[in-house]
Amino acid sequence: MSASTINLAVIPGDGIGPEVTAEALKVLEKVVAAEGVTLEQTHYKLGAQHWLETGETLPDAVLEDLRTRDAILFGAVGAAPGDTRIPSGIIEREMLLKLRFSLDHYVNLRPSKLYGGVGSPLSNPGNIDFIVVREGTEGPYVGNGGTLRGGTRHEVATEVSLNTAHGVERVVRDAFRRANERPRKKLTLVHKHNVLVYAGHLWKRTVEAVAQEFPEVSHDYLHIDAATIFMVTDPARFDVIVTDNLFGDIITDLAAAITGGIGLAASGNINMDRTAPSMFEPVHGSAPDIAGQQKADPTAAILSAALLLEHLGYSAAAQRIEAAVVADVESRNGEVRSTSAIGDAIAAAV
Ligand SMILES: NC(=O)c1ccc[n+]([C@@H]2O[C@H](COP(=O)([O-])OP(=O)(O)OC[C@H]3O[C@@H](n4cnc5c(N)ncnc54)[C@H](O)[C@@H]3O)[C@@H](O)[C@H]2O)c1
Ligand SMILES: CC(C)[C@H](C(=O)O)[C@@H](O)C(=O)O
Ligand SMILES: [Mg+2]
């Protein structure tokens, strides 16, 4: 499926978000032009800085406008953790998560590959090449909780994880489909069903049931704590990991760290039913510690643009971006380059 025009929404966001998004657009514009495709861009000012200026998080009219686009390219949002001007969580919950939930981004796809020439902190990393299929619309992220007697010594705070049969089944089936298309055809459920028995057993039963539809895919199970051990001691064992929203958040930062760092980790927030545009963003945040200094690695944002093209049906263009990235990272040899120098080099190579 591909059209001759891509109607793209761009949300650069805060901190390094605009810096890395500019490089992703540079590469995207080049590769799309080579395919004879027109890229129409609409840029949206959203994020912590926008909230400081306007008090707006994600107005409904903006959300409706975003729904009319083919896909969303997202940078990063959020303030420095110590910035007291912005209530913690307001941008993350009312803007980023509102987008993921409203647009039904139930597949949060996060690939991890150790490219040639990229250093890993692991002494013997092996051939790391797996994807995490993180559930994106449920779990402890739904905001189901509250506090009683807030601010007193007797305060009680709850944050309830929501897991529906529908929500678990659709992401598990997506993970099995992806596993079925990969050479190793292996799926690992990561959860914590020895303690989180209600949600954990739902996930486990769902995997057992959906597995019947995919006889060629083998599947196993790891508790999240053990999964973090294997992520460091034997990451090559993983092919497709399916997990809930919070475990997936944590394990994908770890996965990024073992495959050359957060500057290389891409993601897609995907609505597989295509009832709304999907959104593509680096796994990392706004990195206030390096913002505005051209120190950020834009590779994660560039690879996220490749995932965007893949989702829209432009597989050849997506592969050209990945090939250009592979060549670039192979030639780095620890050399320090600016954000735009990396973007220029990858754009030149696509
Ligand atoms: N999707 C998102 O928009 C997203 C994701 C994660 C965090 N956040 C938000 O971002 C803000 C900062 O969060 P944080 O500090 O916990 O995480 P972070 O990912 O922004 O930064 C963690 C560390 O990684 C480094 N880093 C991140 N991206 C990099 C890149 N491309 N190149 C080189 N180094 C990079 C940073 O300099 C920092 O040292 C918070 O407000 C948080 O809520 C947003
Ligand atoms: C900023 C936050 C809401 C977000 C998440 O937890 O999903 C981020 O950490 C990520 O990994 O994209
Ligand atoms: Mg995260």
Side-chain angles (χ1 to χ4, degrees):
M1 183 211 68
S2 61
S4 56
T5 301
I6 297 175
N7 183 352
L8 183 73
V10 183
I11 304 176
D14 299 307
I16 64 169
E19 294 172 63
V20 298
T21 304
E23 304 313 314
L25 283 173
K26 206 182 263 178
V27 174
L28 197 55
E29 281 162 5
K30 176 116 187 270
V31 79
V32 156
E35 298 274 321
V37 174
T38 309
L39 188 66
E40 283 174 5
Q41 300 179 30
T42 309
H43 288 235
Y44 297 81
K45 228 174 150 250
L46 293 168
Q49 189 55 39
H50 183 69
W51 183 83
L52 279 173
E53 288 163 15
T54 64
E56 283 176 3
T57 47
L58 177 62
D60 288 342
V62 175
L63 180 60
E64 290 318 305
D65 197 65
L66 285 164
R67 282 187 198 280
T68 67
R69 311 296 167 194
D70 294 327
I72 304 168
L73 185 68
F74 190 95
V77 291
D83 189 338
T84 51
R85 296 170 304 161
I86 303 170
S88 170
I90 188 169
I91 302 304
E92 289 80 354
R93 292 215 62 85
E94 294 180 24
M95 194 249 144
L96 177 55
L97 295 182
K98 185 175 170 185
L99 274 175
R100 290 181 187 166
F101 287 13
S102 307
L103 303 178
D104 209 13
H105 294 156
Y106 64 89
V107 172
N108 189 324
L109 179 67
R110 299 189 159 188
S112 276
K113 206 185 259 188
L114 182 61
Y115 292 118
V118 174
S120 167
L122 308 181
S123 52
N124 187 14
N127 178 23
I128 306 177
D129 182 2
F130 61 84
I131 59 172
V132 177
V133 178
R134 166 189 175 192
E135 202 290 320
T137 57
E138 298 194 344
Y141 275 61
V142 294
N144 182 3
T147 68
L148 282 176
R149 300 184 288 273
T152 73
R153 284 179 54 234
H154 304 286
E155 179 165 357
V156 178
T158 59
E159 203 84 52
V160 179
S161 175
L162 182 95
N163 299 261
T164 68
H166 167 73
V168 175
E169 187 178 328
R170 62 183 182 171
V171 75
V172 164
R173 184 168 288 108
D174 179 83
F176 267 104
R177 273 195 202 114
R178 292 178 195 276
N180 205 28
E181 280 164 19
R182 293 168 62 90
R184 283 192 287 159
K185 298 189 192 298
K186 182 181 168 196
L187 177 139
T188 302
L189 168 63
V190 170
H191 209 283
K192 182 79 185 175
H193 70 60
N194 53 345
V195 175
L196 308 180
V197 291
Y198 305 112
H201 289 184
L202 171 60
W203 277 84
K204 194 145 175 31
R205 271 186 278 116
T206 305
V207 166
E208 299 299 338
V210 176
Q212 306 301 316
E213 300 166 26
F214 297 91
E216 289 182 24
V217 178
S218 67
H219 64 95
D220 63 3
Y221 172 84
L222 286 173
H223 293 315
I224 179 68
D225 42 355
T228 64
I229 298 175
F230 288 120
M231 189 64 67
V232 172
T233 58
D234 184 19
R237 66 179 280 144
F238 295 115
D239 183 19
V240 175
I241 292 174
V242 65
T243 191
D244 91 339
N245 211 339
L246 181 59
F247 297 143
D249 175 48
I250 298 164
I251 210 166
T252 53
D253 264 23
L254 180 55
I258 61 163
T259 49
I262 196 79
L264 300 181
S267 85
N269 301 283
I270 305 178
N271 174 330
M272 286 303 294
D273 306 330
R274 298 179 191 268
T275 55
S278 295
M279 183 165 89
F280 299 83
E281 57 172 327
V283 170
H284 64 70
S286 57
D289 53 340
I290 56 167
Q293 300 168 45
Q294 282 284 305
K295 284 185 181 165
D297 188 337
T299 309
I302 292 168
L303 285 171
S304 301
L307 291 176
L308 183 153
L309 288 173
E310 184 74 49
H311 177 72
L312 293 181
Y314 299 99
S315 290
Q319 279 160 22
R320 283 178 58 196
I321 294 183
E322 196 185 356
V325 165
V326 169
D328 186 77
V329 295
E330 256 176 16
S331 68
R332 286 186 189 183
N333 285 322
E335 183 197 355
V336 178
R337 287 178 297 169
S338 68
T339 307
S340 63
I342 297 175
D344 285 344
I346 295 173
V350 289

